[in-house]
Amino acid sequence: MAFGDRLLEARKAKGLTQKQLGGKIGASHNSVSDWEHNKNRPSPDAIELICGVLGVSPNYLLATSESDFSPAEKLLIKHYRSLDAHGKETVSYILDSEMRRMEQILMREEKAEYGGDIITLDFHQKVSAGSGQVLFDDMVVDRIIIPNKPEYKRVAYAVGVNGNSMEPKYKDGDILLVEPAFDVDIGQVGIFNVDGDGFVKKRGEKELISLNGDYENIPLTEHSNCAGRVVGSLRRHEVTIIKK
């Protein structure tokens, strides 16, 4: 099967429409349709989000032939495809249980590393540091584990940066730690929803400001609102991400 066929199969197995999948990863319905018809492929970051939502591995989506799988993977796939609905449901239950067990192992390891003082946060899909994308339509993608520090005491969730309009302070792929706020002071960086699109920007008086001069500022409208204040950021290698 080609990439689009695998994506279609995984999406249907999860019971999602193209629009629902697109909403969960910040992509349009048309983009998902193009991917499934093999007109183009999503970016590596989008593939990572897709795998988290659909519960499949990148290897599964990107494999072009059965030879790209290991013998053990081929056998598992063969057995799974031969099961009836009850059997597949049982396998899914066991996999979910094993994922929860691995999450507990990761948390124990992180507690040992940080002396038992850690925080786990909801990790949402990426918010745009560029042209905007759907804000938190995915609910929760993953969880992350970070050390418990005084400056993080009001942090409620984390989001990933998509784009470079906030460089040099926040780079593409960074993880932002956010505390809830209905607004932020002028000059502070927040997460904003402008006419349905989500951005990480610095608050101006009447506009949202990009730190990268190559990007234009975004005028605030009557439909704009703030979803939180950014209190810190971490590189991906500095956190433990627990896939859902």
Side-chain angles (χ1 to χ4, degrees), residues 119-121 146-158 176-181 227-232:
I119 303 172
T120 61
L121 298 172
I146 63 172
N148 187 7
K149 296 182 178 181
E151 58 265 37
Y152 299 160
K153 65 180 180 179
R154 291 189 177 90
V155 171
Y157 62 90
L176 306 181
L177 306 178
V178 186
E179 67 176 28
R229 183 173 73 89
V230 175
V231 300

Side-chain angles (χ1 to χ4, degrees), residues 43-161:
S43 67
D45 284 341
I47 289 175
E48 181 181 349
L49 291 174
I50 290 169
C51 290
V53 172
L54 300 183
V56 298
S57 69
N59 187 40
Y60 170 76
L61 286 181
L62 297 173
T64 56
S65 69
E66 293 294 325
S67 62
D68 291 320
F69 293 103
S70 68
E73 288 173 326
K74 291 179 185 177
L75 186 60
L76 285 173
I77 293 169
K78 179 180 179 180
H79 287 338
Y80 181 80
R81 288 175 175 171
S82 68
L83 297 175
D84 59 13
H86 173 75
K88 290 179 179 178
E89 183 177 346
T90 301
V91 170
S92 295
Y93 173 80
I94 294 172
L95 287 174
D96 288 342
S97 297
E98 286 300 299
M99 290 300 294
R100 288 193 294 271
R101 182 177 68 84
M102 291 305 300
E103 179 176 338
Q104 293 301 315
I105 291 173
L106 284 172
M107 291 184 67
R108 285 198 298 270
E109 291 174 349
E110 291 296 310
K111 283 183 178 179
E113 180 176 350
Y114 295 113
D117 207 7
I118 63 172
I119 303 172
T120 61
L121 298 172
D122 291 346
F123 180 37
H124 294 266
Q125 69 177 36
K126 294 186 174 182
V127 67
S128 179
S131 58
Q133 63 190 83
V134 177
L135 183 65
F136 303 159
D137 209 27
D138 66 319
M139 298 304 288
V140 177
V141 176
D142 297 311
R143 298 275 294 174
I144 64 169
I145 300 172
I146 63 172
N148 187 7
K149 296 182 178 181
E151 58 265 37
Y152 299 160
K153 65 180 180 179
R154 291 189 177 90
V155 171
Y157 62 90
V159 296
V161 177

Side-chain angles (χ1 to χ4, degrees), residues 27-45:
S28 69
H29 167 271
N30 289 337
S31 293
V32 177
S33 177
D34 286 347
W35 299 337
E36 292 186 351
H37 286 87
N38 294 301
K39 293 182 179 180
N40 52 53
R41 286 192 182 185
S43 67
D45 284 341

